[in-house]
Amino acid sequence: MESLWSDQEAGSCKGDALKLRVYTSRLLGRQPELVLHGGGNTSVKTRAPDLFGDQQELLYVKGSGWDLATIEAAGFAPVRLDALRRMAELETLSDGDMVHMQRAAMTDPTAPNPSVEAILHAIIPFAFVEHTHADVVVTITNTDGGEDIIRAIYGERVLIVPYVMPGFVLAKKVYELTRNVDWSKIEGMVLLGHGAFSFADDAKTSYERMIRLVSEAEGYLKQGGATSFASARSATVDLIKLARIRKAVSDARGEAMLASLDDGKAAAGFSNLADVDAIATRGPLTPDHVIRTKRIPVIVGDDPEEDMQAYVSTYRAYFEQHTDGNLTCLDTAPRWGIWPGCGALSFGRSLKEAGIIADIVGHTMRAIQQAETLGGWQALAEKDIFEVEYWELEQSKLGKGGAAPEFQGKVALVTGAASGIGRACAETLLAQGACVAALDINPDITSLFDGDTCLGMTCDVTDDARLAAAVESTVRRFGGLDIVISNAGVFTASERIADMRASSWDKSMAVNLSSHQRLLSACIPYLEQGVDPAVVMIASKNVPAPGPGASAYSVAKAGLTQLARVAALELAATGIRVNVLHPNQVFDTAIWTQEVLASRAAHYGLSVEEYKKSNLLKVEVTSHDVAALACAMAGSLFAKTTGAQVPIDGGNERVI
Ligand code: ZN
């Protein structure tokens, strides 16, 4: 591992210990082999006068909730060193009391909570302290004989600390182990099964000692030949099975989850290993990963539902075995899975959560293979992992997350999403937490909906093959499909039946009717595996109240309504709800060009302004009004409604 230190960059921090601390903390954070997603912590000891002018000895230690890669000065909590050092002398201290005492010893009450390792940082008699969960160091300690290897690599330069729970117990252990230690002779510590510390009185030495510890471990692995990893091409992914897996995980967790498949060569290769089910289920790389990944993954076989049941039973047994009777069992769903032949799956309520898990899984798969070369992957005992998973500080966070957005973890597909009602629906679904596939014939759709949680796809809905491919891309990206807003439409120019051109008629039928049937057919197999699956068809007021000159449009929309009614009957047994919206006079949509608007207004003998509000309530209906209702119909409010037709038209005597 290379040191990223730059004299030039560090020069701008000269003389400011906290600035240097921010700088080298970020250097650590830039190397994911050292710390991942909030892991690890750093500190610096300084003296500063308080408001009375008295000099205070302070420990600036990483605050919880901050990530080393992006930390700023405000991410460090200033805590009085004497208080932390006295805490290390206590015989016992609960983690809850420790957090309170640390907060009480802070000189800035607006700073974040100090890291749970603050006491440990305080008793190390050097100005700068780095703590990482370096993959290679932990990998070596997670093997039979790992302690001997660590000793052989580092000799007496490093203090070896047997595994104990992080927090006060760890600080206390180190306090006792180092009572008679000459600190000037050591430059770091290896915490078996957990990570590494390095320290020094200047920022550069402290940081580079960590890099050196890691480089030496890397050298050992290289020498031992632990540098090759499995690689394979993924098998063809069965998307229905992917949706089934996601549904089973969602059921186990009691809320909608997304499933992200890593079918890259490294993950597919790992999933293909003959003993993958044994080596992948021995435990995590380092105990704090358990909060995000749980102890072990689910191994997906031929029957995902059965595999999930088995996982849930195993998890319950693990909880029952280790609980003291006063703990609340967390949800029993896995956070990741191995799909032999295809790769690794990550499950999250959001793509962000699934992405963090995928990163950790990527590192874990490498570590397991390296440790196997060294003689066998050995994670910490179940009981140790359980203690971290059910840590008092974690349990106290339960139920404090606030209400989740309505569509968190859900996957929606909207057609005709580049403008008007479709665009408003896609935006509303995104705002309410859904992942959204947005389809439109207008190629602008790909830039309009371009992000982690949305997938804009150019698609002519009358092209059956493209439509089916777009549905498949949606499932592949997010793991399943729960909501379909079938909205794509075209408003053909006013033509009386006697003068109807066949092309006008056929186009309206193709876009306004047949494409919806094709979409529904393509989506049903996935919706059957959806979480509270729902279809909303955007029809028209012209269905209950047609007007002359609009037969091509009205007949297609009437057919669409009938399609939805039959679909509601056919799909009720699988739990799929199908409801219909009849909007009218929604003028901020693509079909209402100024020309059409003027022609319809003239047809009724009204001005354009009068025409816009020519309803009983005298209100203008916007595409966002329709989107809000469409989303409500796709959500929990309509969980017990199917086959319904709801007008949104400001009130119309002919409809009423
Ligand atoms: Zn740690």
Side-chain angles (χ1 to χ4, degrees), residues 39-41 116-117 131-133 166 170 191 194-197 286-288:
N41 41 63
V116 292
E117 309 294 14
H131 168 46
T132 73
H133 300 148
L170 174 59
L191 317 181
H194 175 167
F197 273 79
T286 180
D288 80 359

Side-chain angles (χ1 to χ4, degrees), residues 323-340:
T323 180
D324 62 3
N326 297 314
L327 297 167
T328 305
C329 188
L330 301 169
D331 77 85
T332 55
R335 297 296 187 269
W336 67 289
I338 292 294
W339 188 354

